[in-house]
Amino acid sequence: MSQNNFPKLHNATWPGIVGKGADSEPVIPFDSLLAMTAAAEVDGVKFDGVDLGLLEPHFKLDDPDETKILAEKLQKHNLVAGSLVAPIWAGSAMGTADQRKTFVEMVRKACEFSKQLQDLGVRPYGVIRIDSAAGVEDWAKDPKGNTKIIAETFREACDVAAGYGEKLATEGEICWGAMHSWKYMVELLEKVDRPNIGFQADMSHTFLYTMGYNAPEHRILAPDADLKDREAVKAALKTVTDALRPWTIDFHVAQNDGSVFGSGSHDKTGRHCQATDPNGVLDIAHDAGYWLRDENGELTKAFQHICWDGCMFPNAVMNDQQTWNDILAALVKVRNAHGW
């Protein structure tokens, strides 16, 4: 068993909300997710914390007692909070003036929530997660102009976050305009030009970058590529990670089978598969190394924790304790291979 203490191992709570709701399966209560996370154990190793989606019904950001209640729950389970998802979909980085104002305000609320958790001693590290909250089709009507608008909104959000000492991480998914390919993602980050913005890499979503979903002009793997050809997959992953690793400040461990999926109101994006899915195309522990190590194979140590993301799993899967044990086992393997 490895003696590595870092990166710390986190579970995500937003999969209980994302893709759930009125037009899908019921939302899984936050307390249920927290209890299952705390109960998971693999060879004496347990989760260190949780990353949180600051979304209703799990959280009400306007409730002044919300952070105190959360802190007590975390301390009871011996967990900490890490990265936080800002509820920026109340607005849009590419929308009207009012929508863009709302977008920035949601970032401010997330930063304030974070500050309170830090003051309560339960959030030692992590970032604030955002995306453009804009669709690819709308963005494509004026790529240059819309990317400029999104960059301007992100700059405003970065300036707000800087006042709280926070960094913003943009999660690259094929469903977000100006973020739907690895090249567009780099271009957007360069345009924002702020020291406190970076990239949140999700192993499932970024694998779809290699296949050119929603951006065939930037595909790396051929349309008829054999996804069981590990050498081809590894070469494609290296191209994407070489471009985005220097920007990466937050990391989601995940599995993908080369397909897209959406449920509820969520657009189709890289399908999250279970850690043990036999159809998964990624060697999770090995391929995480493309993000966690630099081009010379040295650890980047760019973030203090890693998080499993498994959005849009069926509730039957998510309510099974074995699911979380399997996830924790996958994270342990990543830390054994690339930790310190």
Side-chain angles (χ1 to χ4, degrees), residues 17-340:
I17 299 176
V18 175
K20 310 295 182 184
D23 47 359
S24 183
E25 294 186 301
V27 166
I28 298 176
F30 176 78
D31 288 350
S32 298
L33 294 164
L34 200 62
M36 288 186 287
T37 300
E41 186 170 345
V42 177
D43 296 330
V45 178
K46 299 177 74 68
F47 280 106
D48 298 297
V50 285
D51 284 9
L52 309 171
L54 302 183
L55 317 169
E56 294 189 13
H58 282 184
F59 298 105
K60 293 181 173 61
L61 295 189
D62 293 325
D63 184 341
D65 295 323
E66 196 78 318
T67 51
K68 294 177 184 177
I69 294 169
L70 171 60
E72 289 176 0
K73 291 179 179 179
L74 292 173
Q75 290 166 338
K76 174 185 173 183
H77 289 293
N78 197 31
L79 296 167
V80 299
S83 296
L84 310 178
V85 178
I88 39 80
W89 307 283
S92 171
M94 200 185 81
T96 64
D98 284 345
Q99 287 174 320
R100 293 172 62 193
K101 183 178 179 181
T102 297
F103 182 102
V104 175
E105 174 61 12
M106 291 302 107
V107 170
R108 188 198 65 77
K109 286 190 174 185
C111 290
E112 181 61 34
F113 196 90
S114 166
K115 181 180 183 301
Q116 292 175 24
L117 291 180
Q118 290 176 43
D119 291 345
L120 291 164
V122 295
R123 186 172 182 261
Y125 43 65
V127 300
I128 305 294
R129 180 264 187 217
I130 62 170
D131 59 58
S132 62
V136 176
E137 287 188 10
D138 287 337
W139 171 87
K141 294 173 184 175
D142 180 9
K144 287 188 178 180
N146 286 328
T147 295
K148 181 181 178 182
I149 291 171
I150 292 168
E152 289 173 354
T153 308
F154 279 11
R155 274 196 291 275
E156 290 182 37
C158 282
D159 292 345
V160 168
Y164 290 87
E166 291 284 352
K167 291 183 177 181
L168 303 183
T170 57
E171 184 176 16
E173 293 191 52
I174 59 168
C175 56
W176 305 127
M179 303 173 62
H180 57 289
S181 92
W182 57 285
K183 287 193 175 183
Y184 292 138
M185 189 71 253
V186 171
E187 289 174 10
L188 177 59
L189 288 165
E190 289 175 344
K191 276 186 169 58
V192 176
D193 191 28
R194 286 290 187 273
N196 64 325
I197 196 167
F199 184 65
Q200 183 187 74
D202 177 294
M203 291 177 67
S204 173
H205 299 322
T206 52
F207 182 72
L208 269 292
Y209 278 171
T210 72
M211 302 180 72
Y213 275 96
N214 286 346
E217 63 272 27
H218 296 158
R219 77 177 304 142
I220 301 167
L221 289 169
D224 59 351
D226 178 5
L227 299 186
K228 294 181 181 179
D229 180 350
R230 278 294 295 167
E231 293 309 309
V233 167
K234 287 194 290 186
L237 289 173
K238 187 176 187 304
T239 298
V240 169
T241 54
D242 282 352
L244 284 164
R245 187 193 312 108
W247 293 95
T248 301
I249 58 174
D250 206 52
F251 184 56
H252 289 170
V253 179
Q255 180 59 285
N256 181 267
D257 62 4
S259 71
V260 297
F261 182 71
S263 69
S265 60
H266 199 292
D267 290 338
K268 288 184 177 180
T269 187
R271 179 190 292 271
H272 281 132
C273 298
Q274 293 187 59
T276 56
D277 192 324
N279 295 316
V281 298
L282 300 173
D283 179 333
I284 295 175
H286 176 276
D287 296 348
Y290 289 114
W291 295 103
L292 297 171
R293 295 179 181 273
D294 65 18
E295 64 276 9
N296 299 315
E298 299 296 321
L299 294 172
T300 67
K301 300 182 182 179
F303 30 84
Q304 291 184 270
H305 82 289
I306 57 178
C307 179
W308 175 269
D309 192 350
C311 285
M312 296 183 278
F313 285 164
N315 283 6
V317 170
M318 294 184 65
N319 285 315
D320 182 354
Q321 184 63 48
Q322 187 59 44
T323 297
W324 307 108
N325 290 349
D326 291 342
I327 287 166
L328 179 57
L331 288 170
V332 169
K333 288 180 180 178
V334 172
R335 183 164 68 183
N336 287 348
H338 311 292
W340 63 95

